[in-house]
Amino acid sequence: MPGIDEPLEVGVTLSESGAEKLLYGAKLYRKLKYIERVFNVKFSLPNEISSKEVQSVERVFRGITEGAFSMRYAEATFRFSPQDINLSEPPYSSPGHFDAIISEEIGLFDQSLRVGPVTVYIDRAHLANPRVMDEVRKGSNEPVLVRFEILDNQMRFRFEDYVKQSREALVEPLERFKQELALEDPEELVDLVSEPLAKDVSSSEAAQIAVGWTFYTRLTDRFCPQDPEIDRSTGHWRVPIWLVYANGEGGSVGDLLIHKKSGVILSHTPMEEIRSRAMALADTILHAG
């Protein structure tokens, strides 16, 4: 498992629009206040906080209050030493699992937080800039920036020093912090500190996750996710999977159910059933008329 810097760039969707903007700010600043307490630091904040900085706030906060967790990312870029790259194995040779130990310090605004070793896991990593591997093949010793598409939008983190602690040891300081906030803030604002900063999965993100699923399950490009719809019985995204021919003919062969908050695929039509339906549909289309 290579040791690398923390992710340099991350695609993340955040909630800070419309009437929710004030509540979003309340969540963000209360998380920052808690992080300041844990690490005994004081942040100097810029006038505008970038999405990358917000993503770092959420990652640190969840690390010190949960230990292990997942967050949604469409892609991530890492800096590697060429000797840590094996071109004959996934995720360099094909989509697959990736893990690495990232820096024990996370830079946040004007502070460097010693969080201890952090392990990152991506189960569905796809090399997005394969031409950078040319430098590795040439025997270069210079570090390279490798960008991965995350086909299921799921990246897992383990803050190793915090995973070792009991759940009570992680939660108790946060509960004391919330009790102190409650002396000045109404309950609904106090509870915001535990609310996630990322917004719910959008229709377009659900479609993206479904496209990634067809890729890593090795379905051909004739299998096309259709527009996601909210499933009335579960409240999550249901994405129909169609078999579609170039002439526009096609039909449904299955679907996915995607969790509206986490983006995790909860269920899907069994692959054997999808392929069986596709063969029957293809036979009908090809022999029509």
Side-chain angles (χ1 to χ4, degrees):
M1 182 184 297
I4 58 175
D5 293 337
E6 64 176 294
L8 299 174
E9 298 175 9
V10 180
V12 62
T13 306
L14 301 170
S15 175
E16 57 173 317
S17 61
E20 296 182 345
K21 189 172 183 179
L22 289 177
L23 291 179
Y24 169 81
K27 286 189 283 188
L28 174 61
Y29 288 107
R30 280 161 179 77
K31 288 175 188 284
L32 281 169
K33 189 174 182 179
Y34 183 69
I35 293 170
E36 286 181 330
R37 170 174 293 193
V38 170
F39 292 96
N40 193 28
V41 297
K42 187 69 175 178
F43 296 119
S44 296
L45 301 180
N47 292 331
E48 296 290 335
I49 297 177
S50 70
S51 60
K52 182 180 178 182
E53 289 165 333
V54 171
Q55 163 263 318
S56 292
V57 171
E58 183 78 332
R59 191 164 75 237
V60 171
F61 180 83
R62 294 193 65 182
I64 63 179
T65 58
E66 298 177 46
F69 57 95
S70 295
M71 291 176 65
R72 292 179 0 240
Y73 302 102
E75 62 179 41
T77 301
F78 300 89
R79 179 182 288 109
F80 289 92
S81 295
Q83 58 266 30
D84 290 331
I85 295 176
N86 187 338
L87 296 176
S88 65
E89 294 184 356
Y92 307 103
S93 60
S94 61
H97 176 82
F98 162 81
D99 59 55
I101 298 174
I102 64 178
S103 174
E104 296 193 8
E105 294 189 5
I106 293 180
L108 190 57
F109 303 112
D110 58 336
Q111 299 291 334
S112 182
L113 308 179
R114 293 193 60 83
V115 298
V118 179
T119 310
V120 60
Y121 303 87
I122 304 173
D123 291 327
R124 307 293 186 184
H126 176 238
L127 184 62
N129 56 343
R131 294 187 64 178
V132 76
M133 294 297 106
D134 292 343
E135 296 301 314
V136 179
R137 294 185 183 93
K138 292 176 183 177
S140 171
N141 293 319
E142 294 298 318
V144 293
L145 296 180
V146 180
R147 180 164 58 90
F148 293 117
E149 293 178 356
I150 304 175
L151 297 177
D152 59 357
N153 282 28
Q154 298 293 313
M155 187 187 296
R156 292 180 288 124
F157 294 90
R158 280 177 56 94
F159 280 55
E160 303 296 347
D161 288 351
Y162 293 87
V163 168
K164 297 174 184 177
Q165 301 180 34
S166 67
R167 178 63 181 165
E168 292 75 16
L170 295 178
V171 172
E172 185 179 349
L174 179 60
E175 290 304 313
R176 289 200 303 268
F177 175 73
K178 292 168 71 173
Q179 290 171 8
E180 293 178 18
L181 287 180
L183 298 176
E184 299 179 357
D185 294 343
E187 183 179 352
E188 53 269 27
L189 289 182
V190 172
D191 290 339
L192 287 176
V193 72
S194 298
E195 292 288 321
L197 291 170
K199 71 178 183 180
D200 288 352
V201 175
S202 65
S203 174
S204 60
E205 186 179 356
Q208 177 190 20
I209 293 169
V211 169
W213 178 83
T214 63
F215 187 80
Y216 65 74
T217 55
R218 302 184 184 279
L219 293 174
T220 69
D221 57 8
R222 285 182 177 167
F223 291 86
C224 302
Q226 303 299 296
D227 291 339
E229 299 177 349
I230 293 295
D231 181 82
R232 292 184 179 180
S233 63
T234 64
H236 300 303
W237 289 111
R238 187 169 296 278
V239 186
I241 304 297
W242 279 39
L243 179 71
V244 179
Y245 281 84
N247 62 5
E249 293 187 86
S252 175
V253 295
D255 57 34
L256 307 179
L257 188 66
I258 298 174
H259 197 285
K260 190 178 179 182
K261 290 190 177 296
S262 69
V264 170
I265 295 177
L266 299 172
S267 64
H268 61 78
T269 304
M271 296 304 298
E272 289 186 5
E273 187 175 338
I274 288 177
R275 292 191 170 94
S276 176
R277 290 182 184 180
M279 290 178 63
L281 179 60
D283 186 67
T284 298
I285 292 173
L286 294 175
H287 294 91

